Amino acid sequence: METLREIRRRIRSVRNLSQVTRALEAVSASKVQKAQVAVLATRPYAHRAWEVIINLAGLFEEPIHPLLTYRESVQSVLIVLFTSDRGLCGAYNHNIMRVATDYARRLPVPVRYIAVGRRGRDILWRMRADLVAEFHSLPAVPSFLNTTPIARTAIEEFLEGRVDEIFLAYTDFINLLRQRPVIRRLLPLRPSELDLQAVSEYVVDMQPVGVPEYIYEPSREAILNTILPRFTELQVYQAALESSASEHAARRLAMRNATDNAEDLLQDLTLMRNKARQQAITRELLDIAGGAEVLHQAMR
Amino acid sequence: MRLDIVTPEQELFTGEVDIVLAPGEDGQLGILPHHAPLITVLAEGELIVRQGEEEFSFAVHGGYMQVLPDRVIVLADVAERAEEIDIQRAEEARRRAEELLKREAPPEERAAAMKALRRSLIRLRVARRRRPYRPEPTSGEPQADT
């Protein structure tokens, strides 16, 4: 049986803890709201842009642009992994790490990583994974400019031939309670033989519409040279927005659960404290009554 | 054919339409259903959409358009619905830009002012073309534009 004093100390610490988690919940709630507005606003544009380049990519047999060209033999794959900088966000980081590493394990070729977020970087570090670059401290609502260096690094790796395929591993924001870790193709824009095998179940892909030939205005080169890099960068931006909204939603939920648990615990502890207090009183009364009885008998 | 007009900030329009008139780099482009596949850079200008009897107008400031036989996607950098344009604000922006251009300003500033001026002029043109035909919002049934 814990003493009254011990219980009181625990009550105090649990109460402090619940104040902290409640504050964190409030912070995450405001961040998730902003992030949600941003992700929902850009999503239609990003999806349509993706549709446009997928339609373009489905078109050509012969290579017309390096970003559209898929390579016959894939020697190495790059995964751009989006995690959070901080913990206390439930299973958010664990989920995306699990999906990404499962996927990497299935690939028959070496996998390299670009880590976005400290958590993922640290885990990859411990796994002794091949880290190409790492980015962190993105704001809660990243801007396009925040994410272009990430995209540029990835595109450069691809163009220089150091990797033959790039995937994005991030967490899709569905709503405040649900987020889904996904892996999506970034480059090349067309699935290779490798993906059509066992690993395809992991990857969310869009089917290109078969189109005979486009008219380009002003010219094919001008259009492809601006559209392809830009829309590729846009996909990275969208992934960052989705991840950020998911992270804050996950943290808000985790903190709410923690606050609820702390309150439950507080109730139990209060009950225990009252019982202990009553017991102490009863014991004292018994002592007094016993003492009185003894005195009474001695007087007689 | 289905049309989507999106900007990085919002989804402006989505639905079945009969004709799209878009500002291409080399002049206005008219897109009817079953148009040949096309990808084009959009200039700044007015984009008009007809849907049965109704007509919608948008001010578009650059972007891309992809046309497939039954589908048109407009990815505009900046765009707004004609009725949402704030004429007063556009007018002020125009005045500011014009003043800046009259003064001796560094080239970058001049370029930015030129851009702002072009934008506000398009906004004004698109908005003005619509407004006079529009009855006051309180005067009952809306009438079709002529």
Side-chain angles (χ1 to χ4, degrees):
Chain A
M1 182 74 209
E2 287 166 291
T3 67
L4 198 52
R5 190 186 307 181
E6 272 168 8
I7 298 172
R8 286 209 172 110
R9 215 188 51 225
R10 280 184 62 194
I11 287 178
R12 239 192 331 271
S13 79
V14 170
R15 189 174 291 138
N16 284 342
L17 214 62
S18 79
Q19 274 165 358
V20 171
T21 57
R22 192 171 294 130
L24 277 173
E25 184 196 332
V27 171
S28 303
S30 94
K31 278 188 182 163
V32 76
Q33 209 155 30
K34 283 184 209 131
Q36 191 182 4
V37 168
V39 74
L40 295 183
T42 7
R43 202 183 268 162
Y45 187 86
H47 283 190
R48 298 290 141 54
W50 191 239
E51 197 181 330
V52 166
I53 44 179
I54 289 290
N55 287 341
L56 270 175
L59 186 59
F60 307 103
E61 285 309 314
E62 85 278 25
I64 54 157
H65 191 281
L67 293 184
L68 286 175
T69 319
Y70 82 90
R71 298 168 190 170
E72 291 291 340
S73 76
V74 173
Q75 304 292 329
S76 167
V77 167
L78 178 70
I79 294 179
V80 184
L81 178 68
F82 289 85
T83 57
S84 68
D85 281 343
R86 286 156 208 232
L88 296 180
C89 46
Y92 168 79
N93 286 316
H94 173 79
N95 286 342
I96 186 62
M97 283 307 303
R98 200 195 55 225
V99 170
T101 47
D102 270 6
Y103 182 62
R105 213 170 293 128
R106 292 227 191 168
L107 291 169
V109 295
V111 177
R112 316 184 70 198
Y113 292 92
I114 290 181
V116 184
R118 287 203 188 91
R119 289 280 150 157
R121 176 199 66 187
D122 293 348
I123 297 169
L124 290 173
W125 198 266
R126 254 174 274 137
M127 283 165 47
R128 295 175 201 288
D130 184 358
L131 217 62
V132 175
E134 62 113 349
F135 297 88
H136 56 75
S137 308
L138 293 181
V141 181
S143 72
F144 193 65
L145 284 180
N146 291 139
T147 60
T148 34
I150 305 169
R152 295 264 163 85
T153 312
I155 292 172
E156 195 184 293
E157 288 293 306
F158 179 77
L159 289 179
E160 307 259 311
R162 287 194 286 268
V163 298
D164 301 309
E165 282 192 313
I166 306 178
F167 293 92
L168 297 174
Y170 65 95
T171 312
D172 232 342
F173 177 81
I174 299 171
N175 56 39
L176 287 174
L177 299 178
R178 284 191 62 207
Q179 299 90 34
R180 185 182 45 160
V182 289
I183 292 184
R184 268 190 45 195
R185 158 186 316 287
L186 184 69
L187 289 174
L189 299 162
R190 194 169 167 195
S192 72
E193 293 302 314
L194 180 71
D195 319 313
L196 298 176
Q197 293 161 14
V199 292
S200 59
E201 67 195 84
Y202 279 90
V203 181
V204 191
D205 249 331
M206 225 188 269
Q207 279 307 308
V209 182
V211 167
E213 182 61 87
Y214 278 98
I215 305 166
Y216 295 91
E217 277 185 40
S219 72
R220 189 168 87 175
E221 282 65 38
I223 293 261
L224 292 182
N225 282 338
T226 54
I227 258 188
L228 293 175
R230 209 181 134 179
F231 286 2
T232 309
E233 285 168 15
L234 188 71
Q235 298 309 312
V236 176
Y237 174 53
Q238 184 66 21
L241 284 179
E242 299 274 356
S243 294
S244 169
S246 298
E247 176 198 331
H248 294 295
R251 180 167 297 123
R252 197 194 66 124
L253 194 67
M255 288 304 106
R256 158 149 318 163
N257 288 339
T259 311
D260 289 352
N261 287 345
E263 262 154 29
D264 285 352
L265 199 58
L266 219 51
Q267 256 176 11
D268 290 350
L269 284 173
T270 311
L271 195 66
M272 260 166 76
R273 183 194 64 190
N274 290 346
K275 272 188 185 156
R277 191 171 55 98
Q278 274 169 352
Q279 245 162 31
I281 293 171
T282 315
R283 208 164 34 234
E284 268 172 45
L285 276 178
L286 277 176
D287 278 354
I288 294 167
E293 187 65 22
V294 171
L295 269 179
H296 187 68
Q297 272 176 8
M299 301 254 284
R300 242 200 281 176
Chain B
M1 63 186 165
R2 221 185 89 183
L3 168 71
D4 287 316
I5 304 177
V6 289
T7 73
E9 277 84 39
Q10 59 175 324
E11 190 161 25
L12 269 182
F13 182 93
T14 178
E16 291 291 320
V17 300
D18 301 320
I19 184 169
V20 179
L21 294 166
E25 285 249 290
D26 309 320
Q28 202 79 358
L29 289 164
I31 310 291
L32 289 160
H34 307 294
H35 193 284
L38 165 88
I39 291 193
T40 180
V41 174
L42 290 179
E44 300 178 312
E46 185 177 16
L47 189 144
I48 298 169
V49 177
R50 286 209 193 103
Q51 190 177 39
E53 294 286 287
E54 278 188 286
E55 192 176 292
F56 303 97
S57 167
F58 302 87
V60 174
H61 312 274
Y64 305 96
M65 178 169 73
Q66 183 183 50
V67 179
L68 295 171
D70 58 346
R71 178 133 177 70
V72 178
I73 302 174
V74 174
L75 297 159
D77 297 342
V78 178
E80 59 249 292
R81 285 189 198 88
E83 5 6 314
E84 281 171 7
I85 295 173
D86 187 337
I87 292 190
Q88 230 171 352
R89 240 189 83 197
E91 192 75 68
E92 274 164 31
R94 195 196 68 178
R95 214 170 311 127
R96 262 200 317 274
E98 277 173 349
E99 262 166 42
L100 238 150
L101 286 178
K102 268 183 225 144
R103 281 192 282 126
E104 288 285 316
E108 317 89 66
E109 232 171 275
R110 280 187 75 84
M114 285 288 265
K115 205 169 160 191
L117 181 62
R118 262 207 319 276
R119 282 201 174 169
S120 53
L121 284 176
I122 288 159
R123 285 201 177 106
L124 287 172
R125 208 180 71 215
V126 172
R128 289 253 163 77
R129 216 170 76 75
R130 303 276 127 186
R131 286 293 155 79
Y133 305 105
R134 220 161 258 281
E136 289 304 307
T138 45
S139 64
E141 286 280 297
Q143 286 149 31
D145 287 342
T146 43

